[in-house]
Structures are given as C-alpha cells and as structure tokens.
Amino acid sequence: MSNLTSLFLMNADTPDETIREMAEAAASTHTHLSCQLLGPAPALPMYAYGVPPMAG
C-alpha cells in the first residue's frame, strides 16, 4: 500500500466545481488532499472551511 498526498493550490477565485472535482478525485483514489489557499481568505465566518487558520 502506498501513501499519496496531492497538493491543491487555490485562491478565492477558484470555482467551487473545480474544488469539488479535486476532492472527489482524491477520495476515489484514497489520496490525501492538502489544500493551500493563496492570498487573503474570503470573508467568511471563522472556521467556515472546517479547520482553524494556520496562525491559530
């Protein structure tokens, strides 16, 4: 068994459809998906993405 990780870089303009497709592709191949948001985060409530910001 191999452990794979894909790095997905996105910004505030990345379409939701693209993000969904990437997540589904990773799930179908049992690949860990690491998402990095480039630039300022969109103005959403704290923890809207389900994880705390890296700065705490």
Side-chain angles (χ1 to χ4, degrees):
M1 174 185 230
S2 66
N3 296 318
L4 298 174
T5 299
S6 290
L7 176 61
F8 182 60
L9 301 175
M10 59 187 172
N11 63 23
D13 298 324
T14 303
D16 290 345
E17 179 69 15
T18 302
I19 298 169
R20 184 188 60 77
E21 289 173 357
M22 189 63 176
E24 288 178 354
S28 70
T29 59
H30 304 287
T31 299
H32 179 260
L33 183 61
S34 177
C35 299
Q36 299 294 313
L37 183 60
L38 302 176
L44 292 172
M46 183 69 92
Y47 305 115
Y49 293 107
V51 295
M54 289 186 67

